[in-house]
Amino acid sequence: MANVLEFEKPLVELEAKIEELKNFSNEKGIDLSDEIRTLENKAQALKQSIYGNLTAWQKVQIARHVERPTALDYINNLIEGFIELHGDRYFGDDKAIVGGIGKFNGRPVTVLGNVKGKDTKENIMRNFGYAHPEGNRKALRLMQQAEKFNRPVLTFVDTPGAYCGTGAEERGQAEAIAKNLFHMISLKVPIIVTIIGEGGSGGALAIGLGDRTLMLEYAIFSIISPESFASILWKDAGRAQEAAEVMKLTAPHLLEMGIVDKIVAEPLGGAHKDPGKMYTTLKDAIAESLAEVAGMSTETMLEQRYQKFRSIGQVISG
């Protein structure tokens, strides 16, 4: 039960009991089908109750789940013939951001994604999904290449934020993020963004400005992590659970505020419970969004993109 979240433990224990009864029934040749069916119904009701009433903090935990599909998982399952491209042509390659070319439903596309690791070794290699400036510059290079060859851009956002170490700041982290935003707002090809896990701060924004922003049901998107929010506002990182509730970082809140355009349903319990179903659902959602944008003239697409971001937020005077 190493990767079981605290609020899932009653369900996991009940499912283990069901499995134990099934094994006992098979070994002893005793018919326990009625008892098993009763427990299965109870487990289904419990599952619906747990995942139908998740708190914001519980959604944060699911968004960060170590078994959740990464951007590379989505790329490998949604993109045909993916070829990864490396380097920013200034400093080096950043493994926290993956980018390349391939085909989506037979159409050539450029693909970008923040990538976390699935174990300690890979997390270290990927810098836990925290992009360096060279990663963001690599992303911009590939987006400009996409524009040159008229390829739509698909991005998969999953990062706690941009890396804020000394080296990253020395190499111009803030400038790299700002430059991406500056160029993405006027990129003359469709950009479809999907927030698949954590959408954290400038690290998410660097590949997160697009014509359509999709968000998985249990993903989160915010300017800062709940822990950092609580540390700054209340001087107590231990109040992260409380912070998550007031930050409005879950998909329904962001859809209501017009920051994302569509919530993509996940299998009950999260994308990691049934990755195959998640890939199919997301592929359909991306295809629908891409068709909507690709059918516009370039001028209409750019104007709608501009207005989409101009309309976010509210100014209150007095």
Side-chain angles (χ1 to χ4, degrees), residues 43-64:
Q44 185 61 26
L46 181 58
K47 187 182 292 186
Q48 294 284 357
S49 174
I50 289 174
Y51 296 116
N53 298 282
L54 292 171
T55 66
W57 179 245
Q58 288 168 341
K59 289 183 180 180
V60 169
Q61 293 176 289
I62 294 177
R64 294 172 172 174

Side-chain angles (χ1 to χ4, degrees), residues 26-309:
N26 290 333
E27 288 173 8
K28 303 299 182 180
I30 301 173
D31 183 11
L32 298 174
S33 55
D34 289 342
E35 290 83 353
I36 291 170
R37 192 178 305 110
T38 299
L39 288 179
E40 285 178 335
N41 291 337
K42 185 178 178 181
Q44 185 61 26
L46 181 58
K47 187 182 292 186
Q48 294 284 357
S49 174
I50 289 174
Y51 296 116
N53 298 282
L54 292 171
T55 66
W57 179 245
Q58 288 168 341
K59 289 183 180 180
V60 169
Q61 293 176 289
I62 294 177
R64 294 172 172 174
H65 201 288
V66 68
E67 294 175 2
R68 197 171 176 85
T70 67
L72 266 178
D73 291 321
Y74 287 104
I75 290 170
N76 289 333
N77 284 276
L78 271 60
I79 307 301
E80 308 138 32
F82 176 69
I83 300 172
E84 186 177 354
L85 303 175
H86 299 271
D88 66 344
R89 303 298 186 264
Y90 290 99
F91 181 81
D93 190 39
D94 181 8
K95 296 187 183 299
I97 287 190
V98 165
I101 57 176
K103 289 185 176 181
F104 177 77
N105 283 345
R107 177 173 187 166
V109 292
T110 290
V111 193
L112 298 163
N114 309 108
V115 184
K116 299 176 181 177
K118 294 192 173 183
D119 53 38
T120 302
K121 183 178 179 181
E122 190 182 3
N123 263 317
I124 292 171
M125 179 185 76
R126 302 283 183 192
N127 200 33
F128 294 85
Y130 290 93
H132 289 80
E134 49 271 22
N136 293 323
R137 291 186 176 116
K138 171 172 67 175
L140 177 58
R141 178 176 75 82
L142 296 183
M143 285 188 281
Q144 290 175 326
Q145 181 194 80
E147 183 179 54
K148 178 179 179 180
F149 293 103
N150 195 33
R151 291 193 296 259
V153 176
L154 308 181
T155 76
F156 298 94
V157 175
D158 185 18
T159 177
Y163 188 60
C164 57
T166 302
E169 297 299 338
E170 288 174 344
R171 296 194 299 278
Q173 182 69 285
E175 182 267 352
I177 295 169
K179 199 169 182 180
N180 279 23
L181 295 173
F182 177 82
H183 286 284
M184 289 179 83
I185 198 69
S186 58
L187 203 73
K188 294 177 181 177
V189 291
I191 306 171
I192 309 298
V193 176
T194 306
I195 304 163
I196 59 173
E198 285 187 278
S201 190
L205 289 178
I207 62 169
L209 190 159
D211 300 288
R212 295 288 186 275
T213 303
L214 312 180
M215 187 171 182
L216 299 197
E217 184 179 359
Y218 302 132
I220 58 172
F221 191 30
S222 65
I223 189 62
I224 197 170
S225 71
E227 292 87 349
S228 298
F229 179 100
S231 295
I232 293 169
L233 193 66
W234 300 316
K235 306 294 187 274
D236 181 5
R239 295 175 68 180
Q241 183 170 342
E242 184 182 349
E245 296 296 333
V246 302
M247 288 172 69
K248 310 298 183 188
L249 44 58
T250 62
H253 286 126
L254 293 160
L255 181 67
E256 183 182 348
M257 292 185 284
I259 294 172
V260 302
D261 301 297
K262 182 176 182 178
I263 298 173
V264 182
E266 297 190 33
L268 197 61
H272 57 290
K273 298 291 186 180
D274 190 349
K277 183 178 180 181
M278 188 71 256
Y279 300 144
T280 301
T281 304
L282 183 55
K283 185 174 185 178
D284 291 342
I286 293 174
E288 182 182 348
S289 294
L290 184 56
E292 290 172 1
V293 181
M296 302 177 188
S297 67
T298 302
E299 293 74 17
T300 301
M301 178 185 72
L302 293 178
E303 178 62 19
Q304 285 197 8
R305 188 187 302 166
Y306 174 77
Q307 293 300 335
K308 169 183 165 69
F309 287 91

